[in-house]
Amino acid sequence: MTGATHTFSAALWLWDFEGGTAWVFATLPERASDAIANVLRAPKPGFGSIRVDVILGGSRWSTSIFPDSKVGRYILPIKKVVRKAEGVDVGDTVEITVTTLE
């Protein structure tokens, strides 16, 4: 589904990894996750990641979304620089647009 675009609202949440590293994520809705997952892609390394372009407020960037087997959806990392620029943080609900690149 190259170039498929999904716009949604999601709450930002914190994932604490072992070793003291923490990342902030947004979870894609079930409908968007299913649509993205149902596209045939060649297997590749990277935990099943899929490259995307992202818009959150006035910020745009490229990153990857990752499947989260616990919830059966994709999760999107939200960079600190973006959170700071947009004045948002963990617990805030934001509108996000992702466009798949593969």
Side-chain angles (χ1 to χ4, degrees):
M1 187 173 282
T2 302
T5 298
H6 304 275
T7 299
F8 56 93
S9 294
L12 303 183
W13 54 274
L14 184 67
W15 185 339
D16 285 317
F17 291 93
E18 292 182 26
T21 303
W23 288 72
V24 174
F25 289 91
T27 302
L28 277 70
E30 184 175 4
R31 186 175 186 157
S33 291
D34 288 350
I36 293 167
N38 287 329
V39 173
L40 293 177
R41 294 179 177 87
K44 63 177 190 133
F47 309 105
S49 63
I50 296 173
R51 294 179 312 122
V52 294
D53 280 336
V54 183
I55 300 171
L56 190 163
S59 298
R60 294 174 177 247
W61 74 101
S62 294
T63 189
S64 294
I65 55 175
F66 302 88
D68 182 346
S69 59
K70 291 181 184 176
V71 296
R73 298 185 196 172
Y74 284 94
I75 57 175
L76 167 71
I78 308 295
K79 300 176 180 185
K80 183 177 183 177
V81 66
V82 171
R83 296 191 317 270
K84 186 173 181 177
E86 299 302 326
V88 298
D89 209 346
V90 173
D92 292 336
T93 298
V94 296
E95 184 169 295
I96 299 168
T97 299
V98 296
T99 301
T100 57
L101 299 176
E102 52 189 81

